[in-house]
Amino acid sequence: LTIAGIALPGDLDGSGQVDLVDAVLVFQVTTGIQPAVPLHLGNEISGNKKIGMEDIIYILQKTAGLR
């Protein structure tokens, strides 16, 4: 998702917020489950357009208010 030209890191479902839905999507991808929604890979954390552990750590910290 791009808002005013700025991607929202961690917002993998493009909802406009980083939430537990994004965390579930990361868990699905990392365990080989095909997500039911298209992923916005431009919003993943590392910039390599691959979903990984760094994404879940960032998303969980963000939803917990640690970032």
Side-chain angles (χ1 to χ4, degrees), residues 29-44:
V29 169
T30 57
T31 59
I33 298 170
Q34 179 66 38
V37 298
L39 297 178
H40 295 254
L41 292 178
N43 295 345
E44 62 83 33

